[in-house]
Amino acid sequence: IEQVKVESETLRLLEIPKVGQYICQKGANYRKGEKLISKGVRLNANHIGLLASLNCVFVEVFTRAKVGILVSGNELLELGESAKNGANIYNTNGHLLVAKVLENGGIPKLYPILKDTKEQVEECVNLALSECDLILSSGGASVGDYDFIAAICKERENEMVFKGVKIKPGQHISYAHFGGKQFFGLPGFPNSTLVTFELFAKEILWRLNGGYFVPITLEILLQENVSKTDSRLEFRVCNVRNVGGKWKIDFEGKKDFQSAILNNFCPLDSAYNGLCVLDSAKSVGEMVRVILLI
């Protein structure tokens, strides 16, 4: 129709068509033996459309990992409870980790808040190990009198993969294979919990779900000086923006970089969250590596 002109009862060809032009050829979309979806890919809407075009009603998938979430502390209150004094804080980490597990394809199970007794913490750790594939514990991983997760890790030292990493925030993270199950002792401050989940636990959760997590990292030119005095490798939360087709970062609205400040990860505008990787102080014009958090 596009290449003809109607003249009374005659069609005049304006362009001579080529053989096969505008005709979908057999095998143009896919051919026999061609791989269309790789093992370990997390299915999204595009894959569903492709499977539907092939009339694939059933496909073999991995079972989603069950993730036990443990939080401990006499000062903790569950959401909806009334604070008794200024020392009480709400169960931020438990619900943060539930949401992160759901985002990454796992099935979370949030256990009741644990009091600071070794017997209760140990009993719940063993229960979670019997019911779940991966356990995320938040709090009790440092060196205080009530850090019973750290005490359990010390008692089961032969099952530890590592304890402590020279990073900021999150240096007190621990990772173990308890009875063949994956166990992370994450730090208790929300910022540290979130960063260590992103850097360590997320990869293990994806592997348990049969997939591979590949973080999005960018090399970005600094527009401002960045100070740093701590010797640890730092993952500093930043705003990541695409300005005129170029990636830029800034620290606008970031109150400071203490481990307890979670709202640094909740930008009020359209910026993305990122972790700026700092091994030393940086100056304007230097390139820094940024892990995009989306």
Side-chain angles (χ1 to χ4, degrees):
I1 290 174
E2 294 91 341
Q3 304 297 339
V4 299
K5 183 177 181 182
V6 179
E7 295 179 349
S8 185
E9 296 183 358
T10 302
L11 288 178
R12 180 183 296 278
L13 295 179
L14 302 178
E15 181 180 309
I16 302 300
K18 299 178 177 63
V19 175
Q21 189 176 11
Y22 307 129
I23 296 175
C24 292
Q25 299 297 316
K26 184 178 180 179
N29 285 351
Y30 27 71
R31 298 176 180 272
K32 184 177 180 179
E34 182 181 351
K35 181 190 286 187
L36 300 182
I37 303 176
S38 297
K39 179 180 179 180
V41 168
R42 187 177 180 184
L43 297 180
N44 59 29
N46 305 327
H47 299 118
I48 298 301
L50 176 59
L51 291 167
S53 73
L54 293 164
N55 193 31
C56 286
V57 182
F58 298 101
V59 291
E60 186 176 350
V61 295
F62 286 85
T63 302
R64 294 165 62 197
K66 296 181 179 66
V67 183
I69 298 168
L70 313 179
V71 292
S72 59
N74 291 338
E75 75 282 9
L76 291 180
L77 297 176
E78 195 46 87
L79 304 190
E81 290 188 274
S82 298
K84 301 176 180 63
N85 55 61
N88 289 132
I89 58 175
Y90 287 100
N91 183 10
T92 301
N93 290 349
H95 295 280
L96 169 66
L97 289 172
V98 165
K100 295 305 292 186
V101 169
L102 287 171
E103 281 182 0
N104 291 279
I107 302 173
K109 179 174 182 179
L110 179 59
Y111 288 84
I113 295 172
L114 300 172
K115 296 300 181 183
D116 285 325
T117 68
K118 187 172 186 296
E119 293 74 23
Q120 190 180 59
V121 172
E122 196 165 42
E123 181 181 349
C124 196
V125 167
N126 290 331
L127 176 62
L129 288 169
S130 69
E131 296 178 336
C132 303
D133 305 297
L134 167 64
I135 292 84
L136 303 176
S137 170
S138 175
S142 186
V143 292
D145 292 338
Y146 298 103
D147 288 329
F148 297 119
I149 292 296
I152 291 170
C153 290
K154 187 173 182 179
E155 290 173 1
R156 306 180 69 161
E157 196 168 0
N158 62 321
E159 296 176 276
M160 297 298 300
V161 178
F162 63 78
K163 188 178 189 308
V165 179
K166 198 174 181 181
I167 61 172
K168 178 185 179 180
Q171 70 174 355
H172 293 297
I173 182 177
S174 56
Y175 175 46
H177 295 160
F178 288 157
K181 298 291 184 71
Q182 311 289 320
F183 177 90
F184 278 100
L186 304 180
F189 283 124
N191 191 332
S192 301
T193 300
L194 180 54
V195 170
T196 50
F197 177 89
E198 291 286 344
L199 296 179
F200 298 95
K202 180 187 281 191
E203 172 70 17
I204 299 300
L205 176 53
W206 275 66
R207 293 292 185 97
L208 289 172
N209 284 337
Y212 293 89
F213 175 72
V214 181
I216 299 174
T217 59
L218 306 169
E219 296 289 330
I220 298 179
L221 197 69
L222 273 179
Q223 306 293 314
E224 59 183 284
N225 294 328
V226 178
S227 61
K228 182 181 184 298
T229 56
D230 198 298
S231 63
R232 292 171 292 173
L233 183 67
E234 184 174 350
F235 296 84
R236 188 176 298 183
V237 62
C238 61
N239 300 309
V240 184
R241 311 176 196 273
N242 191 312
V243 181
K246 293 184 178 180
W247 290 107
K248 295 184 178 181
I249 67 167
D250 62 70
F251 301 93
E252 183 181 345
K254 308 308 181 192
K255 297 182 177 180
D256 60 34
F257 305 103
Q258 296 179 14
S259 297
I261 299 182
L262 189 59
N263 45 309
N264 277 343
F265 287 86
C266 303
L268 298 178
D269 56 20
S270 58
Y272 293 105
N273 276 322
L275 293 176
C276 180
V277 184
L278 298 171
D279 56 358
S280 62
K282 301 294 180 183
S283 303
V284 172
E286 287 192 74
M287 299 292 289
V288 291
R289 184 162 65 96
V290 178
I291 302 171
L292 201 58
L293 301 179
I294 55 174

